[in-house]
Amino acid sequence: SILVMDNVPEQIDLVLSPEGAKRWVLLRRPDGLHSYSEYSLEDAIYWVEEDGGERDVAAPERWTRTYQSGLFDSEDVARSDSFDRISWLFAAIV
């Protein structure tokens, strides 16, 4: 059987923050609406030995969504809104 993926939004842009700890993703849904998200990179978490030495990774570093926009009628409106809400974004693209 063929898995139909017609409800999956298409990623149309991605910008990393200058230090690489955040990313912004712009999506277009199949119905033509747009949204964006900001993700922040969380450090790995380690189990610590009694002597204070790091042992095994308890949780690897991972991207965690820290902001999710609403839906917008156009890509331009979504981009404009993201510049107002994501403080580092404009500096990352100029």
Side-chain angles (χ1 to χ4, degrees):
S1 73
I2 296 175
L3 181 62
V4 178
M5 304 291 280
D6 56 1
N7 279 339
V8 177
E10 173 189 5
Q11 180 178 303
I12 56 176
D13 202 358
L14 183 145
V15 176
L16 279 174
S17 64
E19 78 286 353
K22 294 184 180 289
R23 70 182 185 188
W24 170 84
V25 178
L26 179 62
L27 301 172
R28 179 185 316 123
R29 297 181 356 160
D31 62 8
L33 295 175
H34 294 76
S35 67
Y36 63 87
S37 299
E38 177 192 51
Y39 295 86
S40 297
L41 189 60
E42 293 188 358
D43 292 334
I45 299 169
Y46 296 90
W47 294 109
V48 178
E49 299 286 351
E50 287 181 18
D51 64 6
E54 292 178 350
R55 199 179 80 201
D56 297 322
V57 174
E61 73 176 12
R62 63 198 180 279
W63 289 103
T64 301
R65 186 166 48 203
T66 48
Y67 184 79
Q68 172 64 55
S69 77
L71 297 175
F72 301 92
D73 290 333
S74 75
E75 179 180 334
D76 290 342
V77 175
R79 284 181 188 278
S80 177
D81 188 77
S82 62
F83 290 134
D84 292 340
R85 297 191 185 273
I86 309 295
S87 59
W88 58 264
L89 184 59
F90 186 76
I93 62 170
V94 291

